Amino acid sequence: MATDFLVHEKIWFDKFKYDDAERKFYEQMNGPVAGASCQSSGPGTSSGPGGDHSELVVRIASLEVENQNLRSVVQDLQQAISRLEARLSTLEKSSPIHRATAPQTQHVSPMRQVELPTKKVATPAEDDEDNDIDLFGSEEEEDKEAARLREERLKQYAEKKAKKPSLVAKSSILLDVKPWDDETDMAKLEACVRSIQLDGLLWGGSKLVPVGYGIRKLQIQCVVEDDKVGTDLLEEEITKFEEHVQSVDIAAFNKI
């Protein structure tokens, strides 16, 4: 029973082998761990002192080379910064803003007596000549001329606009006029529809379309002016013929 239990139980019997392999791997990568020689036992479990010493020497040499490279980079950066500082100082000295402007001294001459110009007395003849000069007459004439030109141009524009024909919005409508039954006289129905005459209404072609059970509907085309004739007005006028018309539907509506 004990052996059967151990067979089914998951026990790591050879764990020490993997521990030794892991320790050797890390010793080869990072050098021997302190106190590893005291803990290990048996031949071949620890590496020799010569290999560890050579690995340390190689690592120290690589660190020195890296240190030298860093020092050279730092020196180059210091030189570049010093050159930039020198250039900045020369630019500041040469700029006109930082130049020291010496105060200019003005020579003050001694006071001397200034002779005032004598006022010339105007004669009556000169006063009459000055009164004859009209300083604002030309401006008033120019304003009148500009107003006249503006009025003429406005009048010409109004005449031109009145002569130009205005665009009339039109629509093409296709109507479906349905009779009461198959005994309705469709020719009389169409004559009644076409008898509707309105300002802005123009009737077009028509045809009879079968609906079913021997009943046919009148499909008629018309063109209307939107400002004068609407769909509601058309339906109202057509449905007045109650003896022949049952209903009116708009089959198509298109702007022209």
Side-chain angles (χ1 to χ4, degrees), residues 105-111:
T105 58
Q106 295 181 356
H107 177 70
V108 180
S109 60
M111 295 180 63

Side-chain angles (χ1 to χ4, degrees), residues 24-239:
K24 289 179 182 180
F25 172 74
Y26 284 112
E27 286 179 355
Q28 291 177 1
M29 294 295 295
N30 302 325
V33 182
S37 60
C38 298
Q39 296 176 2
S40 62
S41 63
T45 57
S46 63
S47 60
D52 297 339
H53 182 68
S54 62
E55 186 175 358
L56 287 173
V57 170
V58 171
R59 291 183 66 188
I60 291 170
S62 63
L63 288 173
E64 289 179 352
V65 172
E66 187 177 356
N67 192 11
Q68 290 179 359
N69 292 333
L70 289 174
R71 284 183 180 178
S72 62
V73 170
V74 171
Q75 290 177 359
D76 294 339
L77 289 173
Q78 289 178 351
Q79 292 176 1
I81 291 171
S82 62
R83 287 196 297 269
L84 287 174
E85 289 178 351
R87 186 176 179 184
L88 182 61
S89 62
T90 54
L91 288 174
E92 288 179 353
K93 291 177 181 179
S94 62
S95 63
I97 299 174
H98 295 83
R99 290 179 183 175
T101 57
Q104 297 179 359
T105 58
Q106 295 181 356
H107 177 70
V108 180
S109 60
M111 295 180 63
R112 59 181 178 179
Q113 188 176 2
V114 179
E115 295 180 357
L116 297 175
T118 58
K119 186 177 180 181
K120 186 178 178 181
V121 180
T123 60
E126 292 177 354
D127 291 338
D128 294 337
E129 291 178 359
D130 294 336
N131 294 330
D132 293 339
I133 298 174
D134 189 4
L135 298 177
F136 302 98
S138 58
E139 293 182 359
E140 292 178 357
E141 292 178 358
E142 290 178 358
D143 294 340
K144 292 180 180 179
E145 185 68 19
R148 186 180 62 80
L149 290 174
R150 184 169 60 255
E151 290 177 359
E152 289 181 357
R153 289 176 182 176
L154 289 174
K155 186 177 180 181
Q156 292 176 0
Y157 176 76
E159 292 177 355
K160 185 177 180 181
K161 189 175 181 181
K163 292 179 181 179
K164 186 177 180 180
S166 59
L167 296 176
V168 180
K170 295 182 180 181
S171 300
S172 176
I173 304 175
L174 183 64
L175 298 173
D176 284 345
V177 183
K178 297 177 183 179
W180 287 104
D181 50 21
D182 56 344
E183 296 180 356
T184 304
D185 188 358
M186 299 304 295
K188 185 70 177 294
L189 188 146
E190 182 179 356
C192 292
V193 172
R194 291 185 180 275
S195 65
I196 300 172
Q197 300 294 327
L198 298 172
D199 185 17
L201 172 63
L202 179 63
W203 294 108
S206 63
K207 63 179 179 179
L208 298 177
V209 180
V211 178
Y213 302 101
I215 301 174
R216 294 180 299 174
K217 65 179 179 180
L218 174 65
Q219 200 168 69
I220 187 168
Q221 186 85 22
C222 66
V223 177
V224 299
E225 295 182 10
D226 296 342
D227 295 337
K228 297 180 180 179
V229 182
T231 56
D232 295 337
L233 179 60
L234 279 176
E235 292 178 4
E236 183 181 352
E237 292 294 330
I238 294 173
T239 51

